Amino acid sequence: MEHEDRIALFLDYENLALGVRDHHGGAMFDFRPIADALAERGRVVVRRAYADWSYFDEDRRMLTRSHVELIEIPQRMGATRKNAADIKMAVDAIELAFERQYISTFVLCTGDSDFTPLVHKLRELNKQVIGVGVENSTSALLPPACDEFLYYDRLEGVDILPTRGRRTRPSRLPEPEPQPADQVEIEAPPTEEPSRDADALAVLVAQTVAGLQGSSGGEVTASRLKRTLLRKDPTFSESDHGFRTFGELLRHLADLRVIELAEGPAKGDPEVSLPEHGDRETAFALLGSVVRDLGGETGEVALSGLKNQLRRVRPDFSEKKLGYRGFLQFCKAAATEGAVGLRWSADADDYLLTGKPS
């Protein structure tokens, strides 16, 4: 087996959860995008989150289901409680760095610059340090100190529209507000259960290959892909989808043009990649055509409800089969390729697309 990084994950949970809520319209923090991003980088062997959990009751259940160890920081007055959580997290990280030599990577989920000395010390101890924080609440001092820094807002699986909100700090996180009906992506109901399973499988594999290519930039072998799928879902088995081997599953997806296979470094371990052309360019062209048809006098079309308009033209459209976790990410990619123009409108409180770049 090729070398895999062993990862220790530490979450300054109050910093993350309040950062997401304050800068994204009261949205709840979701641990899954972070877990998926780290699964593509190595094997997470330690998961710890620090907070006064009486303030995060719903979050506590979500983290427990993801096998995160919850470190309780009792309620104290003012900044004392914050300092207690920061110091405990720093002490635990340094202790682990000395006691667990096999841990090669430390992931610090916080935007607080107070952790910068900890980052420097871990790197002195020959540990790779990855930071994760909410973009608008992360200190400018922290990202340059890390080997890699991931903004939570930009992780695949986090599609949060910008909002104009004043930063506040209530004692408890509010429940997320329901989305308007026209902003909810409505999946077309399948006619048969096997069809839905096949679509879900194609989405899972395409997204994972895209994540591996983006995180490492190197070749993605079938064996590496299988290990990553198992990190995301330990219950994953190709036999549940009717395939005898993982190679047979990959060949099936290659026939459907979901992925491409090429000769790998070892016999029986092919290289897996996403198609560079074909379906993706066709989908970008479809998006541009629909936007031009709907543009009217202004030439601009709101993002909300646009996916349903695409499905009226092409019922089998799915951005997830192309390796994108959300429709917004797909539209951003199309804008990067020049198929459409894309901008945020404060007046419309939505993204606006044009048939050609502005």
Side-chain angles (χ1 to χ4, degrees):
M1 178 184 295
E2 64 187 52
H3 172 74
E4 290 184 316
D5 286 335
R6 265 57 172 183
I7 299 174
L9 170 65
F10 293 83
L11 295 99
D12 178 10
Y13 197 76
E14 183 173 347
N15 181 278
L16 277 180
L18 294 179
V20 171
R21 187 217 53 199
D22 291 346
H23 295 285
H24 296 292
M28 297 288 286
F29 171 78
D30 184 6
F31 177 69
R32 174 51 55 184
I34 294 178
D36 285 349
L38 297 184
E40 293 158 0
R41 287 164 170 77
R43 181 183 175 200
V44 181
V45 296
V46 175
R47 300 182 181 191
R48 296 178 184 173
Y50 298 75
D52 180 349
W53 296 108
S54 64
Y55 285 81
F56 303 98
D57 200 38
E58 289 297 323
D59 305 60
R60 178 170 54 189
R61 286 188 281 271
M62 176 265 294
L63 292 170
T64 301
R65 287 193 295 269
S66 297
H67 309 287
V68 177
E69 180 184 0
L70 306 182
I71 308 300
E72 179 70 35
I73 306 298
Q75 174 71 58
R76 293 185 175 90
M77 296 299 293
T80 305
R81 181 181 52 145
K82 171 187 178 298
N83 292 339
D86 292 358
I87 293 171
K88 173 64 173 170
M89 182 168 149
V91 169
D92 286 357
I94 292 296
E95 182 180 44
L96 209 62
F98 281 103
E99 290 187 350
R100 304 288 189 269
Q101 293 295 325
Y102 57 82
I103 294 179
S104 58
T105 302
F106 282 74
V107 178
L108 306 180
C109 295
T110 181
D112 194 339
S113 62
D114 289 349
F115 286 98
T116 304
L118 173 60
V119 173
H120 291 318
K121 180 56 65 175
L122 289 171
R123 296 185 69 184
E124 282 182 28
L125 296 173
N126 197 30
K127 306 297 183 182
Q128 181 183 23
V129 181
I130 300 175
V132 181
V134 178
E135 188 166 6
N136 290 331
S137 63
T138 294
S139 168
L141 300 175
L142 186 60
C146 301
D147 293 293
E148 182 180 7
F149 197 91
L150 307 175
Y151 285 112
Y152 172 83
D153 325 56
R154 303 179 188 178
L155 292 178
E156 294 185 356
V158 181
D159 282 344
I160 304 176
L161 295 180
T163 57
R164 304 181 301 277
R166 180 175 57 88
R167 187 171 184 177
T168 57
R169 193 182 181 88
S171 59
R172 294 183 182 272
L173 293 177
E175 293 295 323
E177 297 181 0
Q179 290 184 326
D182 62 349
Q183 292 187 12
V184 178
E185 293 189 10
I186 303 174
E187 298 290 336
T191 56
E192 298 180 359
E193 187 72 19
S195 175
R196 183 177 64 183
D197 290 344
D199 287 347
L201 177 63
V203 167
L204 175 64
V205 172
Q207 289 178 344
T208 304
V209 172
L212 288 170
Q213 289 179 328
S215 64
S216 66
E219 63 184 19
V220 179
T221 61
S223 57
R224 183 184 176 197
L225 174 61
K226 176 67 178 290
R227 288 195 299 272
T228 305
L229 291 172
L230 286 171
R231 291 192 196 107
K232 289 186 174 183
D233 179 8
T235 67
F236 173 82
S237 173
E238 59 271 8
S239 62
D240 292 340
H241 300 277
F243 299 97
R244 294 169 296 178
T245 66
F246 189 61
E248 183 179 324
L249 183 155
L250 294 180
R251 289 191 292 273
H252 171 72
L253 294 179
D255 290 340
L256 297 177
R257 294 285 298 160
V258 175
I259 58 173
E260 290 182 347
L261 298 177
E263 185 176 352
K267 184 177 180 180
D269 193 13
E271 181 179 346
V272 186
S273 61
L274 294 176
E276 290 295 329
H277 304 288
D279 288 347
R280 188 182 67 168
E281 290 188 348
T282 301
F284 288 167
L286 172 66
L287 176 65
S289 175
V290 171
V291 169
R292 285 190 292 273
D293 290 344
L294 297 175
E297 294 182 0
T298 64
E300 294 184 318
V301 179
L303 178 71
S304 301
L306 180 57
K307 182 175 178 179
N308 289 334
Q309 298 295 330
L310 263 68
R311 284 186 165 168
R312 290 181 180 179
V313 179
R314 182 176 166 183
D316 64 341
F317 170 79
S318 172
E319 76 283 355
K320 295 180 174 62
K321 288 183 181 179
L322 301 173
Y324 301 102
R325 291 186 182 273
F327 187 62
L328 174 59
Q329 186 190 25
F330 166 76
C331 291
K332 287 181 176 179
T336 300
E337 293 294 324
V340 294
L342 179 68
R343 70 178 182 90
W344 170 256
S345 170
D347 293 334
D349 197 31
D350 200 353
Y351 282 100
L352 297 179
L353 291 86
T354 55
K356 50 185 168 180
S358 56

